[in-house]
Amino acid sequence: MKMKKRLLDGARLKRTIHRLSVEIVERNKGTENLVITGIRSRGVPIAERIVKHIKETEGVDVPLGILDITLYRDDLTTVAPQPLVKPSHFPCSIDDKIVVLVDDVLYTGRTVRAAFDALIDYGRPRAVQLAALIDRGHRELPIHADYTGQMVPTDRTEVIKVKLQETDGEDEVLLMEK
Amino acid sequence: MRSQATALRSKDLLGIEPLSPEEISLILDTAEGFREVSERPIKKVPTLRGQLVINLFMEASTRTRVSFEIAEKRLSADTLSFSASGSSVEKGETLIDTAQNLMAMQPDMIVIRHRHPGSPKMLADLLPASIINAGDGAHEHPTQALLDAFTIREKFGRLAGVNVSIIGDIAHSRVVRSNIHLLTKMKANVTLAAPPTLMPAEIEKMGVRVVHSLDEALEGADVVMMLRIQLERQSKTTFPSLREYFNTFGLTPERLRRANDGAIVMHPGPMNRGVEISSDVADGPYSVILEQVTNGVAVRMAVLYLLAGGHLQES
């Protein structure tokens, strides 16, 4: 794979996540009942950063959930490899909460579909919202993000590579070609 | 420990012997993710929806059969269990005929327990379905060894270098054979102890240490695994009496003091209280016997998931 373009560098990635945090608090008129929930694997560090930024600006500890959607995928026998199954975790009940799902890249929408199924096995949120760092289009399901870091029109042959300090040792988002 | 393998190579789980250390690590790592499912309010995920699993238990079983059934149900598979009694096996149907008739109903996986060693292998060669060995004679019982290893790894954080002593009816035990394969592949130190009549000749060749007294086996042990005296498999008397067996090889709290600090006591079940293990030990603080049962469900979910096509992605 060769790199076509650097979509976000470290500084812009940081500002984008900060903006998402502000938008989430603004839209919900505060932080009451919010549960920020990262979808494994790269949604988790982004969700952690959103929680951290809300703490810094609002002085509030918003609960952080972790959702593993591996067991809810619709392609178990058709694609390989699958991610290693890891536990999901919520620090509190999600009943009547506003769950903000966080993922790195929104593409076909199938991951989010699986996340809905996984989420309702843990409770009945009052509302579910979706935050995506990158929206690259090509939806196969009627799903849209409530908060988008950056819209990137892409070709299906292209790949978005999100690198985060926590998982990859550096912060950047690259547009690659297969 | 990071698993290197990303998938199992075979469509079947016939034993531990054919598995690589990387495949064993993959199963154990995957099982860790599955344990959380059993702790949720809704203990079910849709992963194997629409897949049919047949549990073919031609020999008595409570724990293993129930554990497999729960694992299958928690993965949303359709399951069907049957045993030899009350089936056409009683009318004289051969295993191959039974299996081919079942295969005509398109199951995706068959879990089989049979008293003849090699029966799962025979079905695996014959049928396109994934075959999981749930115990074949005195040959192997792979999911038991995997859940034992999972439990040991949970307590000690590793398998390599852990001193595991296995005591009891070594000769008739499929659990011990699977455990020896697994533990030696994962570089644990295995010691066996049994009366000479219950110790197979030349078993040292499997890479284990053999001693003939319980105290010797307990010295320095991190894990004490007691095996059931299999009264139903003994064609002739191999020791004078159950009482004498308990006095010589039965595990009591006093004798357990020879083991290392923090040692754990395991038993694959069903226990003969007062024969190989005293109730004080079985119900005592070092016993992880019921944790083994809980872990069994997670390990079997991992095996079903991986055989159904789940693979590990390096991310």
Side-chain angles (χ1 to χ4, degrees):
Chain A
M1 271 198 298
K2 71 173 202 291
M3 188 180 89
K4 285 180 84 174
K5 194 181 170 193
R6 174 176 281 115
L7 298 169
L8 295 174
D9 59 18
R12 286 189 61 200
L13 182 74
K14 186 178 172 188
R15 283 196 290 274
T16 304
I17 292 175
H18 286 180
R19 176 169 54 78
L20 289 174
S21 314
V22 171
E23 284 179 7
I24 290 168
V25 176
E26 189 187 17
R27 163 90 73 99
N28 294 293
K29 301 184 175 66
T31 58
E32 205 181 340
N33 290 323
L34 282 183
V35 180
I36 308 292
T37 300
I39 300 175
R40 283 195 197 273
S41 57
R42 285 189 182 69
V44 176
I46 298 173
E48 282 168 356
R49 292 189 199 186
I50 290 173
V51 166
K52 185 159 171 271
H53 189 257
I54 293 175
K55 169 77 176 171
E56 284 163 9
T57 53
E58 303 286 319
V60 180
D61 283 308
V62 176
L64 171 73
I66 294 172
L67 200 59
D68 185 285
I69 58 105
T70 314
L71 301 173
Y72 296 84
R73 291 170 70 124
D74 56 11
D75 54 3
L76 172 66
T77 52
T78 54
V79 300
Q82 305 274 350
L84 177 63
V85 179
K86 289 184 186 157
S88 296
H89 174 74
F90 288 95
C92 57
S93 160
I94 59 166
D95 287 342
D96 290 317
K97 299 286 169 53
I98 299 165
V99 174
V100 181
L101 292 173
V102 180
D103 205 359
D104 56 346
V105 180
L106 179 57
Y107 183 24
T108 62
R110 286 177 193 268
T111 299
V112 178
R113 199 279 315 157
F116 291 157
D117 278 356
L119 201 58
I120 59 168
D121 280 356
Y122 289 90
R124 188 179 185 282
R126 189 170 85 210
V128 181
Q129 301 172 352
L130 175 63
L133 184 63
I134 304 289
D135 180 349
R136 61 167 294 188
H138 302 288
R139 217 77 79 236
E140 294 169 4
L141 296 167
I143 283 169
H144 76 95
D146 301 275
Y147 315 98
T148 307
Q150 193 172 48
M151 295 281 284
V152 182
T154 56
D155 192 274
R156 280 178 183 275
T157 59
E158 292 168 330
V159 174
I160 304 273
K161 179 81 190 148
V162 174
K163 291 187 179 177
L164 297 169
Q165 198 75 47
E166 297 88 330
T167 49
D168 312 279
E170 57 181 332
D171 277 353
E172 61 177 359
V173 181
L174 306 175
L175 182 65
M176 320 278 285
E177 185 148 49
K178 273 184 197 163
Chain B
M1 198 187 325
R2 192 92 179 99
S3 20
Q4 302 292 311
T6 58
L8 299 181
R9 289 166 301 169
S10 169
K11 75 173 173 68
D12 312 295
L13 179 68
L14 302 178
I16 299 296
E17 194 177 5
L19 295 180
S20 68
E22 292 75 23
E23 287 177 305
I24 292 167
S25 292
L26 172 65
I27 296 171
L28 299 180
D29 289 350
T30 304
E32 267 176 35
F34 277 106
R35 211 168 32 166
E36 182 262 341
V37 175
S38 298
E39 289 160 6
R40 298 180 187 182
I42 297 177
K43 301 174 182 59
K44 201 176 181 76
V45 291
T47 318
L48 295 188
R49 203 173 44 183
Q51 300 221 23
L52 175 61
V53 185
I54 294 182
N55 302 306
L56 192 56
F57 278 76
M58 314 301 261
E59 200 182 53
S61 166
T62 308
R63 229 167 318 275
T64 307
R65 202 190 70 203
V66 169
S67 180
F68 265 111
E69 284 184 26
I70 292 172
E72 290 151 10
K73 286 177 198 299
R74 291 205 173 144
L75 289 170
S76 302
D78 294 318
T79 70
L80 186 152
S81 297
F82 81 85
S83 48
S85 64
S87 73
S88 53
V89 176
E90 280 192 338
K91 299 178 185 170
E93 189 173 55
T94 66
L95 177 63
I96 289 181
D97 281 334
T98 304
Q100 279 177 333
N101 277 279
L102 289 175
M103 199 61 224
M105 300 176 220
Q106 277 105 34
D108 298 282
M109 294 191 234
I110 297 176
V111 178
I112 178 172
R113 165 167 291 191
H114 201 286
R115 70 192 161 86
H116 289 307
S119 330
K121 170 86 168 80
M122 188 174 74
L123 294 193
D125 292 343
L126 196 69
L127 305 177
S130 289
I131 308 296
I132 300 175
N133 181 1
D136 58 339
H139 176 227
E140 282 228 41
H141 188 355
T143 55
Q144 178 70 42
L146 287 163
L147 75 88
D148 289 341
F150 185 86
T151 308
I152 296 170
R153 204 175 76 157
E154 187 181 29
K155 295 291 169 188
F156 295 95
R158 65 196 155 85
L159 290 169
V162 176
N163 297 324
V164 182
S165 293
I166 309 177
I167 297 134
D169 187 349
I170 309 290
H172 299 88
S173 174
R174 54 193 171 211
V175 173
V176 78
R177 242 162 290 278
S178 289
N179 260 307
I180 292 172
H181 284 304
L182 193 153
L183 293 167
T184 53
K185 278 174 200 273
M186 304 310 280
K187 310 271 183 253
N189 308 315
V190 182
T191 300
L192 306 180
T197 47
L198 290 174
M199 182 71 80
E202 304 199 3
I203 194 148
E204 298 89 340
K205 288 186 176 165
M206 292 182 80
V208 299
R209 185 170 75 104
V210 172
V211 298
H212 287 287
S213 82
L214 176 62
D215 289 344
E216 227 180 314
L218 292 175
E219 204 72 55
D222 298 311
V223 177
V224 182
M225 195 182 290
M226 301 306 293
L227 297 176
R228 185 170 66 94
I229 291 299
Q230 305 199 23
L231 301 166
E232 77 277 17
R233 280 191 216 282
Q234 304 205 18
S235 47
K236 56 182 188 290
T237 311
T238 47
F239 47 85
S241 71
L242 292 178
R243 189 188 177 102
E244 177 163 332
Y245 184 85
F246 180 69
N247 288 337
T248 326
F249 281 96
L251 189 62
T252 60
E254 296 72 41
R255 305 185 83 165
L256 187 56
R257 289 201 194 101
R258 290 179 179 269
N260 282 348
D261 286 344
I264 57 171
V265 176
M266 306 176 77
H267 193 300
M271 285 184 278
N272 297 312
R273 289 172 183 262
V275 179
E276 68 265 3
I277 191 165
S278 75
S279 284
D280 290 341
V281 175
D283 307 326
Y286 310 110
S287 166
V288 296
I289 294 169
L290 293 176
E291 287 173 53
Q292 288 174 266
V293 178
T294 304
N295 291 340
V297 174
V299 165
R300 290 179 175 114
M301 286 172 82
V303 168
L304 290 160
Y305 167 75
L306 289 167
L307 290 179
H311 307 285
L312 179 99
Q313 184 180 61
E314 289 301 324
S315 61

